[in-house]
Amino acid sequence: MLMGTVVESANKLQEVNGSVAVKNPTVVFVLGGPGSGKGTQCANIVEHFGYSHLSAGDLLRAEIKSGSENGTMIQNMIKEGKIVPSEVTIKLLQRAMQENGNDKFLIDGFPRNEENRAAFEEVTKIEPAFVLFFDCSEEEMERRLLSRNQGREDDNIETIRKRFKVFLESSLPVIEHYTTRGKVRKIDAGKSVEEVFESVKAVFTPKEEKAD
């Protein structure tokens, strides 16, 4: 019952705003485990290549904070341990794209799973230009999270390992799907921030077509 209401409320959001202002936006999905450094690299891409950075998690948190009817329902679902329906997150992403007015977007931390992916393409009729996958060893991500999260309650090893497990189980099928379509750009994220950005730049800088 609740889920239906959340989706209806999200649909109303969309009706108010009409269709996506930019008809054929360039969308890049950004995926990587916790601690893979994708947030830092997204900031670099925004600065150097003029993309707008949209984080699905940030949009959900902002909607909750706004105190809207939709936000209250999202908050209740999260409190009850329920997964927010894909349509709700997708409508928030669509609205953010409309309001932004740019035609190039990094969508960070989404799709989280195959169901998200299929729903995004179905609802928006947009296929990503490519998927930027920050590939980093579990040991390195663990080391980074433990050093940066001091004092945070979710910095213990058990919680971190649980987050890795969830990421692997849910996101790898998405990466595999886009790999078969030749759309995954894998970045070795275990290097320094500067070295990783050099690899990222190579992906975003148009290359001259090479003759066979």
Side-chain angles (χ1 to χ4, degrees):
M1 187 74 169
L2 179 61
M3 179 167 157
T5 328
V6 177
V7 175
E8 278 158 31
S9 181
N11 284 338
K12 273 183 218 147
L13 268 178
Q14 190 61 8
E15 282 157 24
V16 170
N17 286 287
S19 60
V20 174
V22 181
K23 286 297 172 215
N24 294 304
T26 300
V27 168
V28 174
F29 289 146
V30 183
L31 296 175
S36 61
K38 58 190 171 62
T40 303
Q41 296 302 333
C42 280
N44 284 337
I45 297 163
V46 167
E47 189 182 333
H48 285 79
F49 296 102
Y51 278 72
S52 291
H53 177 208
L54 300 178
S55 156
D58 287 351
L59 288 172
L60 287 167
R61 283 187 284 275
E63 191 65 20
I64 290 168
K65 209 172 170 185
S66 76
S68 71
E69 186 189 350
N70 208 37
T72 305
M73 282 186 281
I74 292 167
Q75 188 172 31
N76 290 340
M77 293 196 82
I78 291 169
K79 266 188 198 157
E80 288 166 26
K82 292 177 180 165
I83 291 168
V84 177
S86 295
E87 287 88 346
V88 173
T89 308
I90 291 162
K91 290 280 159 56
L92 289 174
L93 285 166
Q94 276 188 308
R95 184 176 69 176
M97 286 161 79
Q98 283 174 330
E99 289 172 354
N100 183 287
N102 196 352
D103 63 350
K104 301 190 295 187
F105 296 94
L106 299 173
I107 297 186
D108 178 5
F110 186 92
R112 284 187 178 276
N113 53 41
E114 264 293 284
E115 193 263 334
N116 277 176
R117 178 200 67 71
F120 182 87
E121 291 187 10
E122 175 66 30
V123 172
T124 66
K125 307 290 181 245
I126 296 168
E127 256 205 60
F130 58 88
V131 176
L132 196 60
F133 172 41
F134 289 99
D135 192 19
C136 195
S137 72
E138 216 168 290
E139 295 73 30
E140 176 59 19
M141 290 193 284
E142 200 171 279
R143 189 189 65 73
R144 289 175 184 178
L145 288 172
L146 287 170
S147 63
R148 83 169 184 209
N149 283 3
Q150 280 165 352
R152 266 182 48 175
E153 59 198 70
D154 60 354
D155 65 358
N156 64 71
I157 287 283
E158 291 74 22
T159 310
I160 287 170
R161 287 187 179 154
K162 228 176 264 177
R163 286 167 69 198
F164 289 153
K165 191 166 180 285
V166 168
F167 170 74
L168 286 173
E169 285 172 358
S170 55
S171 296
L172 280 186
V174 176
I175 291 158
E176 279 160 15
H177 169 86
Y178 285 120
T179 299
T180 62
R181 301 177 74 87
K183 288 190 172 225
V184 173
R185 309 289 180 267
K186 188 153 84 164
I187 302 287
D188 178 356
K191 299 175 179 174
S192 70
V193 172
E194 294 73 26
E195 287 174 305
V196 173
F197 190 53
E198 284 307 311
S199 305
V200 169
K201 274 200 286 201
V203 169
F204 281 87
T205 305
K207 296 183 185 75
E208 293 298 323
E209 289 297 323
K210 289 177 187 161
D212 287 341

